[in-house]
Amino acid sequence: MINEQIVEQFKQNLAQVNQRISAAADRSGRTADDVQLVAVSKYVDAAMTDLLIQAGAVVLGENRPQALDEKFQTINQPGVQWHLIGQLQRNKVKKVVPQAALIHSVDSIRLINAIDKSATDQGLVAEVLLEANVSGEAAKHGFPPEEVAAALDHANSLSSIKVTGLMCMAGLASDSDDVRSEFARLRELRDQLGSAELVHLSMGMSGDFETAIEEGATLVRVGATLFEGVT
Ligand SMILES: *Cc1c(COP(=O)(O)O)cnc(C)c1O
């Protein structure tokens, strides 16, 4: 496929996903403006990611700090935001802090401390989400739900990290009813925390983003569906 065809296919895929977002937002009594698509570009290289941006993607999600760094350095498109959606090790924090507009996947007190320290050193405030393990699966990352309040209190005591919401991944073994209740659980957890600053719920991927929106998602992380017909 030549680049123009790829961009055309990406445009169609983005339009379809945006339509589905809009319909699901309607069903939750909201509008498409209340839900941000994070286009997960982790499956492709920088050149292909650039075409996805040309097709209209403005918020890009990467799950590996190294790939985020590479794309951040090579793709110089004004107005594009990069989000880190995958696991972050403390030795990678320094680079990620100035590159990521939002880190979705903060899952330990040690990581909170490392991000705050690095942001302080660089004169920045890092915006993050706390990941909660609402499925309870051992292989999943994230704070156990009952530990999120303490993690939030701790982060709020620091000056260079700002928590603006919660994130989750549905369990691998979950059927669609389980997935819906996991998303509902994240929303309830956010509501129980009672903080007006927690505006974001990052939940939902290609297979379940509509369910996530129906349950209150404000950020959906969609990868595979955007690459249909291209890769
Ligand atoms: C890959 C990934 C996604 C996107 O998943 P798709 O099924 O490709 O839409 C979302 N969130 C995280 C954390 C991921 O690693």
Side-chain angles (χ1 to χ4, degrees), residues 14 17-18 21 35-39 59 218-222 226:
L14 282 164
V17 167
N18 282 324
I21 287 174
V35 182
Q36 174 73 61
L37 169 64
V38 179
V59 179
T218 63
L219 293 158
V220 289
R221 310 179 308 268
V222 178
L226 295 177

Side-chain angles (χ1 to χ4, degrees), residues 40 42-43 62-63 85-87 105 131 167-169 204-207 221-227:
V40 176
K42 67 182 182 189
Y43 302 108
E62 285 288 332
N63 70 332
I85 61 171
Q87 224 206 336
S105 39
E131 181 171 357
M167 179 268 210
C168 75
M169 307 265 288
M205 321 198 321
S206 288
R221 310 179 308 268
V222 178
T225 295
L226 295 177
F227 295 96

Side-chain angles (χ1 to χ4, degrees), residues 49-181:
T49 301
D50 201 28
L51 298 179
L52 184 62
I53 293 168
Q54 284 179 39
V58 286
V59 179
L60 283 296
E62 285 288 332
N63 70 332
R64 289 176 37 244
Q66 214 149 327
L68 174 69
D69 179 46
E70 192 212 319
K71 291 181 184 178
F72 186 88
Q73 310 281 355
T74 31
I75 301 174
N76 186 13
Q77 297 260 18
V80 167
Q81 262 192 24
W82 298 93
H83 288 188
L84 186 78
I85 61 171
Q87 224 206 336
L88 177 57
Q89 270 149 11
R90 280 172 294 147
N91 62 352
K92 301 274 168 52
V93 163
K94 187 176 171 189
K95 260 193 180 166
V96 165
V97 161
Q99 294 178 345
L102 182 65
I103 302 170
H104 289 228
S105 39
V106 172
D107 60 358
S108 73
I109 297 285
R110 277 155 54 140
L111 183 57
I112 289 173
N113 290 338
I115 291 171
D116 178 69
K117 179 174 186 314
S118 182
T120 300
D121 291 347
Q122 301 183 71
L124 301 168
V125 174
E127 185 180 338
V128 309
L129 308 178
L130 300 181
E131 181 171 357
N133 183 358
V134 287
S135 73
E137 280 182 11
K140 287 282 177 229
H141 296 287
F143 290 100
E146 63 277 13
E147 291 177 16
V148 172
L152 178 65
D153 282 346
H154 178 67
N156 285 344
S157 75
L158 304 173
S159 57
S160 302
I161 185 166
K162 184 170 162 53
V163 181
T164 60
L166 304 181
M167 179 268 210
C168 75
M169 307 265 288
L172 281 176
S174 303
D175 67 22
S176 60
D177 285 347
D178 295 339
V179 168
R180 184 177 293 278
S181 50

